[in-house]
């Protein structure tokens, strides 16, 4: 019996890789062009904003919380980046990252100091971010000047040796998040909080500070996702990243980081995002409309939560 449990646990750790490989092969059989290197590169480049948003969200889910403000912060970032570009140039990027960090920190403070559940605090902060984006944009789409965009963020677009530059940006951000999670005290503390917050508190860890940091980093990564989105599409809108929240959460969970936290992490989310990308691509090949995609991701989210959550940490569900 013990051997069976150990085998099941090993298989569960490798389940994201198995799922990704299986889905890729199935879609490849449906359309052989799907497996062409240039198609896979384009597919990867298209999901860069989603990956960046999901990476930031991973740090919050890793501690056993949730961040529902990411999509709204990303939308707001596209607007602020577009507005600030003419006067600030590349500084517009620094500005939106700082704003995202601040909004995330507010979510953390409300959650830890006011004892408001994270899904409520981040939903409220997301509503504020949405309103800021709507007010700043006049509730309309904004466009970047092509020359100013290339001068400030030309390094973020285009290709070198066939590799899209946004993929390089995403890789650097993944490395930063992985380093924080795996090589810094903050990352080890995030894991301790997710594995058992009461134990972490009794060990003398300043849990509140690290939880605020996790939310702040999530906000900053969401803003980075918005910045990349804005530069790719040469503009901003308070609804530009609409529809990204659910796939981002799905990417984190199917990658192997459960809502109860403590296991999984950044690399798992990279795999989870690839799974989401393949699923979305297969839906496009099958001509499934956007509404159908959202329904499907909603069902996947329910299944992912039900199969990955640690019920020993949630004896009562409210």
């Amino acid at each position: 019996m013990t051997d069976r449990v150990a085998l099941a646990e090993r298989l569960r750790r490798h389940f994201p890789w198995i799922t990704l490989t299986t889905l890729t092969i199935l879609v490849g059989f449906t359309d052989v062009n799907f497996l062409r290197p240039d198609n896979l590169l384009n597919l990867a480049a298209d999901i860069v904003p989603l990956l960046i948003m999901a990476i930031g969200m991973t740090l919050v889910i890793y501690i056993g919380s949730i961040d529902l403000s990411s999509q709204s912060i990303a939308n707001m970032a596209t607007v602020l980046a577009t507005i600030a570009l003419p006067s600030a140039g590349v500084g517009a990027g620094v500005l939106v990252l700082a704003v995202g960090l601040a909004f995330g920190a507010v979510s953390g403070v409300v959650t830890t100091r006011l004892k408001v559940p994270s899904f409520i605090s981040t939903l409220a902060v997301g509503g504020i971010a949405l309103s800021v984006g709507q007010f700043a944009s006049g509730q309309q789409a904004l466009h970047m000047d092509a020359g100013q965009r290339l001068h400030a963020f030309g390094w973020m677009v285009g290709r070198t040796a066939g590799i899209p530059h946004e993929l390089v940006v995403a890789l650097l951000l993944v490395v930063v998040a992985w380093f924080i999670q795996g090589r810094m005290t903050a990352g080890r503390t995030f894991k301790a909080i997710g594995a058992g917050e009461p134990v972490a508190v009794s060990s003398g860890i300043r849990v509140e500070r690290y939880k605020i940091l996790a939310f702040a980093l999530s906000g900053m990564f969401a803003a980075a996702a918005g910045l990349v989105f804005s530069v790719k599409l040469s503009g901003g809108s308070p609804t530009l990243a609409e529809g990204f929240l659910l796939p981002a959460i799905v990417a984190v969970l199917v990658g192997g980081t459960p809502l109860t936290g403590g296991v999984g992490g950044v690399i798992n989310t990279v795999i989870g995002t690839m799974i989401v990308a393949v699923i979305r691509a297969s839906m496009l090949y099958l001509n499934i409309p956007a509404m159908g995609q959202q329904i499907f991701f909603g069902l996947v989210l329910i299944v992912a939560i039900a199969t990955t959550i640690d019920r020993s940490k949630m004896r009562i569900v409210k």
Side-chain angles (χ1 to χ4, degrees):
M1 186 66 177
T2 304
D3 291 339
R4 289 181 180 178
V5 173
L7 177 60
E9 183 61 31
R10 285 199 298 271
L11 287 176
R12 189 167 74 170
R13 286 201 299 268
H14 295 291
F15 183 72
W17 274 112
I18 296 172
T19 301
L20 176 61
T21 304
T22 303
L23 286 174
T24 303
I25 293 173
L26 288 176
V27 179
F29 278 131
T30 303
D31 187 341
V32 69
N33 291 323
F34 177 78
L35 297 177
R36 290 172 51 190
D38 58 336
N39 183 67
L40 293 177
L41 278 175
N42 290 332
L43 179 65
D46 286 341
I47 63 162
V48 163
L50 175 64
L51 172 61
I52 297 172
M53 185 186 299
I55 288 298
M57 193 178 294
T58 300
L59 300 176
V60 172
I61 295 180
Y62 197 51
I63 64 172
S65 297
I66 188 70
D67 187 354
L68 301 181
S69 67
S70 296
Q71 178 178 282
S72 295
I73 291 176
N75 279 325
M76 177 185 65
T78 69
V79 172
L80 297 182
T82 304
I83 292 174
L85 178 62
S87 58
V90 72
V94 178
L95 171 66
V96 298
L97 293 181
V99 172
L101 186 77
F103 270 75
V106 170
S107 293
V109 169
V110 173
T111 299
T112 57
R113 303 289 168 81
L114 301 183
K115 307 300 181 185
V116 176
S118 59
F119 77 94
I120 294 294
S121 63
T122 56
L123 191 62
V125 169
I128 296 172
L130 175 63
S131 297
V132 170
Q134 290 175 331
F135 176 78
S137 67
Q139 300 194 48
Q140 61 184 355
L142 306 175
H143 301 282
M144 289 182 173
D145 178 85
Q148 294 173 343
R149 167 178 169 267
L150 288 176
H151 182 263
F153 299 109
W155 50 271
M156 198 182 290
V157 295
R159 292 173 178 253
T160 298
I163 306 298
H165 291 175
E166 56 262 43
L167 276 181
V168 178
V169 173
L171 177 61
L172 290 174
L173 291 176
V174 167
V175 170
V176 169
W178 171 82
F179 186 81
I180 292 172
Q181 177 200 316
R183 293 291 183 268
M184 295 183 66
T185 301
R188 292 191 290 271
T189 305
F190 292 161
K191 182 178 179 66
I193 294 171
E197 186 172 335
V199 176
V201 172
S202 62
S203 299
I205 296 174
R206 304 289 292 272
V207 168
E208 288 189 355
R209 287 187 177 182
Y210 285 101
K211 291 179 75 172
I212 293 172
L213 176 61
F215 281 100
L217 289 172
S218 180
M220 186 179 71
F221 274 89
L227 176 63
V228 172
F229 220 157
S230 182
V231 173
K232 279 171 64 71
L233 300 182
S234 193
S237 165
T239 60
L240 196 62
E242 206 68 27
F244 269 56
L245 180 62
L246 189 57
I249 297 174
V250 169
V252 177
L253 296 183
V254 299
T257 305
L259 279 179
T260 41
V263 296
V266 171
I267 302 303
N268 295 70
T269 296
V270 174
I271 301 171
T273 306
M274 293 182 196
I275 292 173
V276 170
V278 174
I279 292 174
R280 291 178 68 178
S282 65
M283 289 182 175
L284 291 176
Y285 284 126
L286 296 174
N287 294 318
I288 296 176
M291 183 181 298
Q293 294 179 32
Q294 287 293 96
I295 292 173
F296 179 80
F297 279 122
L299 294 174
V300 172
L301 180 60
I302 293 173
V303 173
I305 292 174
T307 56
T308 62
I309 199 166
D310 186 353
R311 288 173 176 78
S312 65
K313 298 178 182 178
M314 300 180 66
R315 300 185 185 280
I316 298 176
V317 178
K318 296 183 179 181

